């Protein structure tokens, strides 16, 4: 990589459903992102100790071990608002859930990958 090349933006996906997790990972890698994955909030907090701060976090809400609400509280406590968080939720109250945890945005499941990509590009760190 030359110094003129931009570094890849880093997206952290936190999602307990593996089919969704790996579909998103493959899709975002094909869009030239560097992708980090975790299957629950606890795994994500462990990963963040060594990974550095992502340019955006895609956060599922309902997960075992540590859910999206718990992750958001701990992440904001430790890292303030260093990474924008986008909530991924099937709930009809997606907007409210995003507000609850101070997320910048949300995508409703099942999502359209084009909509997801537009949402990421809108909110990722510039
Ligand atoms: Mg889930």
């Amino acid at each position: 990589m030359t110094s003129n090349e931009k570094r890849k933006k880093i997206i952290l996906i936190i999602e307990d459903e593996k089919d969704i997790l790996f579909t998103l990972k493959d899709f975002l890698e094909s869009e030239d992102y560097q992708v980090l994955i975790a299957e629950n909030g606890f795994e994500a907090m462990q990963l963040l100790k060594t990974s550095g701060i992502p340019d955006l976090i895609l956060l599922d809400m309902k997960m075992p071990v540590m859910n999206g609400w718990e992750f958001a509280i701990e992440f904001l406590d430790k890292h303030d608002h260093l990474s924008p968080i986008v909530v991924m939720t099937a709930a009809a109250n997606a907007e409210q859930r995003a507000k609850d945890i101070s997320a910048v945005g949300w995508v409703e499941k099942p999502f359209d990958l084009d909509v997801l990509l537009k949402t990421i590009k809108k909110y990722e760190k510039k």
Side-chain angles (χ1 to χ4, degrees):
M1 188 187 277
T2 71
S3 57
N4 289 335
E5 277 182 79
K6 286 204 306 199
R7 75 166 177 91
K8 290 187 179 187
K9 295 247 165 106
I10 302 169
I11 308 286
L12 168 58
I13 310 168
I14 312 173
E15 165 66 66
D16 67 316
E17 288 177 54
K18 286 196 171 92
D19 54 341
I20 298 175
L21 181 63
F22 287 104
T23 299
L24 289 179
K25 179 177 190 283
D26 289 349
F27 172 68
L28 291 175
E29 284 176 349
S30 77
E31 294 291 334
D32 217 26
Y33 286 96
Q34 182 184 335
V35 179
L36 306 171
I37 55 172
E39 291 183 26
N40 59 64
F42 179 76
E43 253 189 50
M45 288 307 300
Q46 297 302 110
L47 183 63
L48 285 164
K49 288 179 183 171
T50 53
S51 69
I53 297 297
D55 296 292
L56 185 131
I57 297 173
L58 288 175
L59 180 64
D60 182 30
M61 297 308 285
K62 293 182 184 171
M63 295 178 287
V65 188
M66 181 189 281
N67 66 32
W69 291 272
E70 294 163 335
F71 169 80
I73 290 167
E74 198 163 324
F75 180 78
L76 293 175
D77 182 47
K78 286 206 169 76
H79 303 289
D80 197 11
H81 288 267
L82 284 175
S83 301
I85 297 176
V86 170
V87 167
M88 304 186 288
T89 177
N93 54 347
E95 182 175 5
Q96 187 57 48
R97 287 196 172 168
K99 283 185 182 149
D100 287 348
I101 64 156
S102 301
V104 293
W106 67 92
V107 285
E108 290 181 34
K109 290 179 183 171
F111 39 70
D112 177 307
L113 290 175
D114 287 338
V115 171
L116 178 79
L117 188 60
K118 278 185 190 143
T119 305
I120 289 171
K121 290 195 181 300
K122 179 174 175 186
Y123 294 117
E124 68 189 9
K125 283 203 267 181
K126 298 296 183 285

